[in-house]
Amino acid sequence: MARLFWLSDESWGRIEPHLPHDQPGKPRVDDRRVISGILHVLKVGCRWQDTPSAYGPHTTVYNRYNRWSQRGIWQRLFAKIAATGPVPDELMLDASHVKAHRSAAGGKGGPGARRSAAREAGSRAKSIAWPMIVADRSRSP
């Protein structure tokens, strides 16, 4: 069986006070178990229906994630928890963990669409970093 992810007591203690309580309708099942299941799926990258049964029914895990996403609960939870910690001096984003869909590498072979040589010669090189560099320089004293 795959290694399961469970929230530690310390992590759960920080998350639990910010969860929505007193919601109308049927009482929710164990929040800690379901949220651990959601984090397991996001960490491992498996399909929702492949969620280990230790986290409860996969439909419960998915429905909780989906409904809370639509209501903005995950964003509010992250903002509240992030606000309690210290502000780091430096931040870095790493998107190397982002997975493409399994059919993203497919498609027809060949070089694909290319610009004509005349257009290529007349245009300047484009870079996404250029606007950021210009904006950063404009803020400098």
Side-chain angles (χ1 to χ4, degrees):
M1 183 174 214
R3 290 186 176 171
L4 301 180
F5 174 83
W6 294 103
L7 286 166
S8 67
D9 291 337
E10 179 185 348
S11 298
W12 180 247
R14 294 182 69 197
I15 292 172
E16 202 274 329
H18 303 295
L19 297 179
H21 296 288
D22 301 326
Q23 296 294 312
K26 187 177 178 181
R28 292 193 310 253
V29 296
D30 184 18
D31 284 331
R32 186 173 183 173
R33 182 181 69 168
V34 174
I35 292 173
S36 293
I38 291 169
L39 295 175
H40 173 81
V41 170
L42 297 176
K43 179 181 172 196
V44 173
C46 65
R47 300 179 304 174
W48 291 104
Q49 65 189 28
D50 294 334
T51 305
S53 60
Y55 297 122
H58 64 87
T59 52
T60 302
V61 176
Y62 171 74
N63 286 339
R64 178 82 53 89
Y65 173 78
N66 190 32
R67 289 174 183 156
W68 283 13
S69 294
Q70 290 173 355
R71 292 172 47 199
I73 291 174
W74 296 116
Q75 286 83 7
R76 287 194 300 271
L77 180 64
F78 178 76
K80 289 177 182 177
I81 292 173
T84 61
V87 178
D89 294 333
E90 188 174 324
L91 297 172
M92 182 181 356
L93 296 176
D94 178 19
S96 63
H97 71 280
V98 176
K99 294 183 179 182
H101 191 269
R102 61 180 164 263
S103 63
K108 292 185 177 183
R114 291 190 172 176
R115 299 180 89 183
S116 68
R119 278 195 167 172
E120 192 67 38
S123 66
R124 66 182 182 96
K126 295 181 180 178
S127 170
I128 195 157
W130 179 250
M132 290 189 263
I133 293 171
V134 171
D136 189 42
R137 287 185 182 163
S138 65
R139 281 188 247 140
S140 299

